[in-house]
Amino acid sequence: MPLVSTGELVTRARSQGRAVAAFNVITLEHAEAIAAGAERAGEPAVLQISENAVRFHGGELTALAAATGAVARASSVPLALHLDHVVSRDLLHAAYTEGFSSVMFDASKLPYGDNVKATAEAVRWGHGRGIWVEAELGRIGGKDGEPPLDAHAPGVRTDPAEAAAYVADTGVDALAVAVGSTHAMTERTASVDHALIAGLRAALPVPLVLHGSSGVPDDGLRAAVAAGMTKINIGTALNTAYTGAVRAFLEAHPATVDPRAYLVPAREAMAGTVAHFLAVVRG
Ligand code: G3H
Ligand code: ZN
């Protein structure tokens, strides 16, 4: 099946009051597992590569992007490619040359005015090339191995009035908002503010994106979608499944040297996790 665009998947989901899940790709096995899980669930999905993952591959996006694109094109369900948490302008520009339909430009660590300026520039650049641009306002913690931010501290969450001005001033296509989730949680104990999601949904003309969704329990995710979240980003849950399967296999088979022996169950564990999240997000 040909690749579809993230904008197309998200726009359709929003018009139906539904959501689309986006999963992080670090290795080829992640991409294969996401495609397998999506096929199993019979749902579309977004495969996203973050600036962090590019750094892991020595700063080279081309090989992982090409492999992920090939996996997506071979799938029987619609899949889209997205570049995630992009800070570097060079990587932003690579979204176009490497065939991504969308990018999340992350200027959230900058003061408000600088975030608006940098994001508006990224949006102008992206829209000139047909690229859908997501941005972030508020502070969703736990990125880049940084210490987790207290998602419940005052001033951390996205304010609906400020977000409405931000969307108008930047022209972004979707907004990642801070509503109580944080990145890299390995326990699903995050408490998301569903009333704030509903307020943001009412205040903003663009789809909302939930980051750090691995830490949100199934019921919390369902309620987040019902309240107005349209793109649900999931990364750590795949790594928890992957590493758990590798650890269990090697404990049971300590003499193993062929990585395929433990990557098969690792990939299968990730595919099961993907299918599970897709079923939850579908409602
Ligand atoms: O952008 C990616 C996501 O926000 C993933 O967050 O690894 O905590 O699920 P997570
Ligand atoms: Zn994120």
Side-chain angles (χ1 to χ4, degrees), residues 92-93 95-97 100-101 121-132:
L92 171 71
H93 297 161
Y96 181 63
T97 48
F100 287 78
S101 64
E121 194 182 304
V123 169
R124 269 194 302 280
W125 177 87
H127 287 181
R129 289 152 186 83
I131 292 177
W132 184 93

Short mmCIF file of all heavy atoms in Angstrom, two decimals, residues 92-93 95-97 100-101 121-132:
data_model
loop_
_atom_site.label_atom_id
_atom_site.label_comp_id
_atom_site.label_asym_id
_atom_site.label_seq_id
_atom_site.Cartn_x
_atom_site.Cartn_y
_atom_site.Cartn_z
N LEU A 92 15.11 19.26 10.45
CA LEU A 92 13.81 19.74 9.94
C LEU A 92 13.82 19.71 8.42
O LEU A 92 12.90 19.18 7.78
CB LEU A 92 13.57 21.17 10.45
CG LEU A 92 12.36 21.91 9.85
CD1 LEU A 92 11.06 21.30 10.37
CD2 LEU A 92 12.41 23.40 10.19
N HIS A 93 14.87 20.22 7.82
CA HIS A 93 14.93 20.29 6.36
C HIS A 93 15.05 18.90 5.74
O HIS A 93 14.58 18.67 4.63
CB HIS A 93 16.08 21.21 5.93
CG HIS A 93 15.85 22.63 6.38
ND1 HIS A 93 16.84 23.57 6.46
CD2 HIS A 93 14.71 23.25 6.82
CE1 HIS A 93 16.32 24.72 6.91
NE2 HIS A 93 15.04 24.54 7.14
N ALA A 95 13.37 16.43 6.60
CA ALA A 95 12.02 15.86 6.49
C ALA A 95 11.58 15.86 5.02
O ALA A 95 10.96 14.91 4.54
CB ALA A 95 11.02 16.67 7.33
N TYR A 96 11.93 16.93 4.33
CA TYR A 96 11.52 17.05 2.93
C TYR A 96 12.35 16.12 2.03
O TYR A 96 11.80 15.33 1.27
CB TYR A 96 11.68 18.51 2.49
CG TYR A 96 11.27 18.74 1.07
CD1 TYR A 96 9.96 18.53 0.66
CD2 TYR A 96 12.20 19.19 0.13
CE1 TYR A 96 9.57 18.74 -0.65
CE2 TYR A 96 11.82 19.42 -1.18
CZ TYR A 96 10.51 19.18 -1.56
OH TYR A 96 10.14 19.39 -2.87
N THR A 97 13.65 16.15 2.20
CA THR A 97 14.50 15.36 1.31
C THR A 97 14.37 13.86 1.56
O THR A 97 14.57 13.06 0.66
CB THR A 97 15.98 15.78 1.45
OG1 THR A 97 16.30 15.82 2.84
CG2 THR A 97 16.23 17.14 0.85
N PHE A 100 9.38 12.53 4.36
CA PHE A 100 8.42 12.54 5.47
C PHE A 100 7.25 13.47 5.12
O PHE A 100 7.46 14.54 4.55
CB PHE A 100 9.09 13.02 6.77
CG PHE A 100 10.03 12.01 7.35
CD1 PHE A 100 11.31 11.84 6.81
CD2 PHE A 100 9.65 11.21 8.41
CE1 PHE A 100 12.18 10.89 7.32
CE2 PHE A 100 10.52 10.26 8.94
CZ PHE A 100 11.78 10.09 8.39
N SER A 101 6.05 13.07 5.51
CA SER A 101 4.89 13.92 5.23
C SER A 101 4.66 14.93 6.33
O SER A 101 3.88 15.87 6.17
CB SER A 101 3.63 13.06 5.07
OG SER A 101 3.33 12.42 6.30
N GLU A 121 8.42 30.15 11.68
CA GLU A 121 9.38 30.01 10.58
C GLU A 121 9.40 28.56 10.05
O GLU A 121 9.40 28.33 8.85
CB GLU A 121 10.76 30.39 11.14
CG GLU A 121 11.84 30.64 10.13
CD GLU A 121 13.14 30.95 10.87
OE1 GLU A 121 13.17 31.89 11.70
OE2 GLU A 121 14.12 30.20 10.65
N ALA A 122 9.37 27.59 10.99
CA ALA A 122 9.35 26.17 10.60
C ALA A 122 8.06 25.86 9.82
O ALA A 122 8.07 25.10 8.85
CB ALA A 122 9.45 25.28 11.83
N VAL A 123 6.95 26.45 10.26
CA VAL A 123 5.67 26.21 9.58
C VAL A 123 5.71 26.80 8.17
O VAL A 123 5.28 26.14 7.21
CB VAL A 123 4.49 26.81 10.40
CG1 VAL A 123 3.20 26.81 9.59
CG2 VAL A 123 4.32 26.05 11.71
N ARG A 124 6.23 28.01 8.05
CA ARG A 124 6.34 28.62 6.70
C ARG A 124 7.16 27.73 5.79
O ARG A 124 6.79 27.46 4.66
CB ARG A 124 6.98 30.02 6.78
CG ARG A 124 5.98 31.15 6.95
CD ARG A 124 6.62 32.51 6.67
NE ARG A 124 7.76 32.80 7.53
CZ ARG A 124 7.67 33.25 8.78
NH1 ARG A 124 6.49 33.48 9.32
NH2 ARG A 124 8.76 33.48 9.50
N TRP A 125 8.28 27.26 6.32
CA TRP A 125 9.16 26.39 5.54
C TRP A 125 8.41 25.10 5.16
O TRP A 125 8.42 24.68 4.00
CB TRP A 125 10.43 26.05 6.34
CG TRP A 125 11.31 25.09 5.60
CD1 TRP A 125 12.28 25.39 4.70
CD2 TRP A 125 11.24 23.66 5.67
NE1 TRP A 125 12.82 24.23 4.19
CE2 TRP A 125 12.21 23.16 4.76
CE3 TRP A 125 10.47 22.76 6.39
CZ2 TRP A 125 12.41 21.78 4.58
CZ3 TRP A 125 10.67 21.39 6.20
CH2 TRP A 125 11.64 20.93 5.30
N GLY A 126 7.74 24.47 6.13
CA GLY A 126 7.05 23.19 5.88
C GLY A 126 5.89 23.35 4.91
O GLY A 126 5.76 22.56 3.96
N HIS A 127 5.08 24.38 5.12
CA HIS A 127 3.91 24.54 4.25
C HIS A 127 4.32 24.85 2.82
O HIS A 127 3.62 24.48 1.87
CB HIS A 127 2.99 25.62 4.81
CG HIS A 127 2.24 25.15 6.03
ND1 HIS A 127 1.34 25.91 6.71
CD2 HIS A 127 2.27 23.96 6.69
CE1 HIS A 127 0.84 25.22 7.74
NE2 HIS A 127 1.41 24.04 7.75
N GLY A 128 5.46 25.46 2.65
CA GLY A 128 5.98 25.72 1.29
C GLY A 128 6.33 24.43 0.57
O GLY A 128 6.50 24.43 -0.66
N ARG A 129 6.43 23.34 1.32
CA ARG A 129 6.82 22.05 0.73
C ARG A 129 5.78 20.96 0.97
O ARG A 129 6.05 19.76 0.81
CB ARG A 129 8.18 21.62 1.31
CG ARG A 129 9.29 22.48 0.79
CD ARG A 129 10.46 22.57 1.74
NE ARG A 129 11.43 23.55 1.22
CZ ARG A 129 11.33 24.86 1.39
NH1 ARG A 129 10.34 25.37 2.09
NH2 ARG A 129 12.22 25.67 0.87
N GLY A 130 4.62 21.35 1.40
CA GLY A 130 3.53 20.38 1.61
C GLY A 130 3.71 19.53 2.85
O GLY A 130 3.14 18.43 2.95
N ILE A 131 4.49 20.01 3.81
CA ILE A 131 4.73 19.24 5.05
C ILE A 131 3.84 19.76 6.18
O ILE A 131 3.77 20.97 6.43
CB ILE A 131 6.22 19.28 5.43
CG1 ILE A 131 7.01 18.48 4.37
CG2 ILE A 131 6.47 18.72 6.82
CD1 ILE A 131 8.49 18.49 4.54
N TRP A 132 3.18 18.83 6.85
CA TRP A 132 2.28 19.10 7.99
C TRP A 132 3.16 19.28 9.22
O TRP A 132 4.07 18.48 9.46
CB TRP A 132 1.39 17.87 8.09
CG TRP A 132 0.28 17.82 9.09
CD1 TRP A 132 -1.02 18.16 8.88
CD2 TRP A 132 0.35 17.27 10.42
NE1 TRP A 132 -1.77 17.87 10.00
CE2 TRP A 132 -0.95 17.33 10.94
CE3 TRP A 132 1.37 16.74 11.20
CZ2 TRP A 132 -1.26 16.87 12.23
CZ3 TRP A 132 1.08 16.29 12.48
CH2 TRP A 132 -0.23 16.36 12.98
#
